Amino acid sequence: MGIFKKKQNYSIENIVMPEHVAIIMDGNGRWAKKRGLPRSAGHSAGAKNFRKIIRYCSDIGIKYLTMYAFSTENWKRPEDEVGALMKLFKQYLEEALRDFKDDTIKLQFIGDTTAFSEEIQSLMKDAVEGSRNRDGMVLNLAMNYGGRSEIVMAAKKLAEKAAKGELSANDITEKMISDSIYTAGQPDPDLIIRPSGEYRTSNFLLWQSAYSEYVIMDKLWPDFSTDDMNFALLEYAKRNRRFGGV
Ligand code: IPE
Ligand code: IPE
Ligand code: MG
């Protein structure tokens, strides 16, 4: 992992592109604090940037984009902050349903969505249904997502099959686990970007990231630009992925 400061104008012409990019949208709180604003203002700015970056990724031909929006641990935050985040999710979902009729992005959620209000769950369901037949970029929005709880979910599914006699415990394979998690059927992320300079996974894509390339950037999420995205893509293109080989 390396930490990088912003430089200007990166061209991504003719580079090796990742098929699946995942981003930990971190640093909203610090962005707000630096400006003497409440944390919720940082989340609003982050939500605005989310719209810009997903559009950009779709435009440059990324096939799968996973965005970490809310972790299973984020419920620990003060009630007013969680409330502000829920309001922003609701706004985004309503906007997606109202304005994005001609969009090509296929929206999916990863995480335990049953924890959200009935209203948000219903909007999530409609947004997923409404984009089901699209053939553009797949956007996995990680909401109430935790890598550990996802692995527990897979363990439960396989244990249930074993209890019914449909599967012998000894026959469990890595593929069966990959097929039992939220990202079933998708390629693992090639590149994981963490803005805000923190060197940790924070429970993101634990199973899927076994061989992902990490790019950590010293930029807070609301300030993360399309040029920063290009920088991360160029950094990825320079990596020598060996997958344990030589
Ligand atoms: C990420 O920004 C947004 C969520 C976790 C929902 P933070 O709110 O974690 O911002 P920092 O890390 O406190 O700056
Ligand atoms: C990870 O960021 C979760 C999201 C960005 C949604 P956190 O801010 O929650 O992670 P920690 O607490 O710094 O590890
Ligand atoms: Mg954070």
Side-chain angles (χ1 to χ4, degrees):
M1 291 189 192
I3 188 156
F4 302 101
K5 297 219 185 301
K6 184 181 157 56
K7 291 185 201 137
Q8 287 297 316
N9 300 322
Y10 297 100
S11 161
I12 54 162
E13 247 172 83
N14 302 318
I15 65 163
V16 178
M17 287 282 274
E19 192 180 8
H20 186 167
V21 176
I23 305 181
I24 302 175
M25 297 188 278
D26 195 22
N28 295 349
R30 279 163 281 174
W31 183 94
K33 197 174 172 205
K34 260 170 59 181
R35 287 163 178 77
L37 297 168
R39 293 180 60 86
S40 59
H43 294 313
S44 298
K48 196 171 160 212
N49 203 42
F50 161 82
R51 287 162 170 80
K52 183 172 92 186
I53 298 296
I54 60 170
R55 195 59 51 204
Y56 181 66
C57 288
S58 162
D59 289 347
I60 61 175
I62 301 292
K63 295 211 167 53
Y64 297 87
L65 178 67
T66 301
M67 301 294 270
Y68 203 7
F70 194 85
S71 75
T72 47
E73 288 74 35
N74 288 147
W75 298 106
K76 284 184 208 158
R77 296 186 178 203
E79 214 178 299
D80 63 332
E81 182 172 347
V82 172
L85 285 163
M86 294 303 141
K87 213 173 139 191
L88 288 166
F89 296 150
K90 190 173 157 247
Q91 272 171 11
Y92 172 69
L93 292 167
E94 284 171 344
E95 183 188 307
L97 284 164
R98 190 183 59 232
D99 302 335
F100 300 162
K101 300 270 180 274
D102 302 322
D103 206 346
T104 58
I105 296 175
K106 184 170 170 170
L107 181 63
Q108 291 181 175
F109 293 99
I110 64 170
D112 178 10
T113 55
T114 62
F116 295 106
S117 71
E118 294 281 319
E119 191 187 20
I120 290 185
Q121 283 187 60
S122 157
L123 289 166
M124 284 171 141
K125 200 168 150 266
D126 292 347
V128 170
E129 295 282 315
S131 73
R132 189 180 297 283
N133 296 321
R134 294 183 185 159
D135 58 0
M137 183 180 80
V138 171
L139 171 62
N140 297 314
L141 198 46
M143 302 240 307
N144 192 27
Y145 174 86
R148 287 187 168 182
S149 90
E150 181 179 40
I151 294 167
V152 169
M153 174 186 78
K156 284 181 183 165
K157 282 187 194 167
L158 296 175
E160 236 160 65
K161 281 191 186 160
K164 282 191 206 150
E166 292 167 13
L167 174 71
S168 150
N170 217 19
D171 294 337
I172 293 175
T173 61
E174 291 187 5
K175 168 111 182 16
M176 284 179 201
I177 296 182
S178 292
D179 289 344
S180 306
I181 56 179
Y182 297 117
T183 50
Q186 300 186 9
D188 286 338
D190 301 294
L191 166 65
I192 300 182
I193 304 170
R194 184 159 192 165
S196 94
E198 305 290 0
Y199 285 73
R200 55 178 170 264
T201 68
S202 299
N203 207 7
F204 190 41
L205 304 176
L206 297 184
W207 177 266
Q208 299 89 329
S209 65
Y211 274 101
S212 302
E213 295 296 328
Y214 266 90
V215 174
I216 312 286
M217 292 173 71
D218 193 14
K219 207 56 180 317
L220 303 172
W221 172 249
D223 291 329
F224 185 89
S225 66
T226 55
D227 203 40
D228 292 322
M229 185 74 205
N230 286 357
F231 175 81
L233 291 168
L234 273 167
E235 184 56 34
Y236 169 80
K238 283 191 238 157
R239 301 277 173 91
N240 177 9
R241 303 184 77 187
R242 289 185 291 277
F243 298 97
V246 287

